[in-house]
Amino acid sequence: MRFILSTALLALVALSAYAQAPAKPSEMEAPASLQLKGYNSRDIETFVKAYSDTVKVYNSPGQLSYKGKDELRKRYSSMFAQTPDLHCELVNRIVSGNVVIDHERVQFSKDRPRKEAIAVYRIKNGEIYEVTFISPDKN
């Protein structure tokens, strides 16, 4: 009886530790997680590694802002260099098929409030091939 109770207790402890362990990102989440890591460390090489060469970037649904990894690198290199306080907090993430939707709070400067943002990533072959940024309406 002691053996059964000890085994059950050990199983409960193991399950509890498993439940509290941080979840590994899914295959579809991996590029979104990689670009966020590069963004927060302002590491342009890590950041662009998550994107396809032909990525399309939209500032709101249906409005193409620019395309291509070279243009992405140019724009973000400049922003990373000019924004030492840059940090993105991931508030929530939804994964559905090949779409990853991130609700974010972005800090550009410590003396200004964070901005709410939504990023919708479309992923294929382990790369982000399209991203749409959506800003909430201002009141």
Side-chain angles (χ1 to χ4, degrees):
M1 184 67 162
R2 280 187 177 177
F3 175 75
I4 293 171
L5 286 175
S6 296
T7 304
L9 182 60
L10 186 58
L12 274 173
V13 169
L15 282 173
S16 174
Y18 176 77
Q20 294 175 4
K24 283 184 167 181
S26 71
E27 186 178 324
M28 284 300 156
E29 284 180 272
S33 296
L34 180 64
Q35 68 84 35
L36 181 62
K37 177 182 175 185
Y39 186 94
N40 281 337
S41 63
R42 292 177 305 286
D43 176 351
I44 195 63
E45 295 308 318
T46 298
F47 180 76
V48 300
K49 191 182 296 184
Y51 292 88
S52 75
D53 291 340
T54 58
V55 64
K56 292 181 181 176
V57 179
Y58 295 85
N59 277 333
S60 63
Q63 294 181 353
L64 181 65
S65 179
Y66 61 92
K67 57 185 174 178
K69 191 184 261 188
D70 291 338
E71 184 65 20
L72 179 90
R73 177 190 302 278
K74 179 179 154 188
R75 289 175 184 234
Y76 279 88
S77 290
S78 175
M79 184 173 72
F80 289 172
Q82 296 173 15
T83 319
D85 296 333
L86 185 66
H87 183 79
C88 179
E89 173 192 356
L90 181 61
V91 177
N92 192 26
R93 175 171 282 167
I94 298 170
V95 180
S96 181
N98 72 321
V99 176
V100 177
I101 303 169
D102 285 352
H103 172 198
E104 307 169 343
R105 285 194 189 104
V106 183
Q107 179 175 348
F108 293 96
S109 173
K110 289 182 179 179
D111 61 345
R112 293 190 337 223
R114 293 174 185 239
K115 292 188 176 187
E116 297 282 324
I118 299 164
V120 180
Y121 303 102
R122 293 188 176 276
I123 298 167
K124 183 170 37 175
N125 299 326
E127 296 178 320
I128 299 167
Y129 72 89
E130 181 181 292
V131 59
T132 300
F133 297 107
I134 304 169
S135 297
D137 291 337
K138 295 177 185 176
N139 296 333

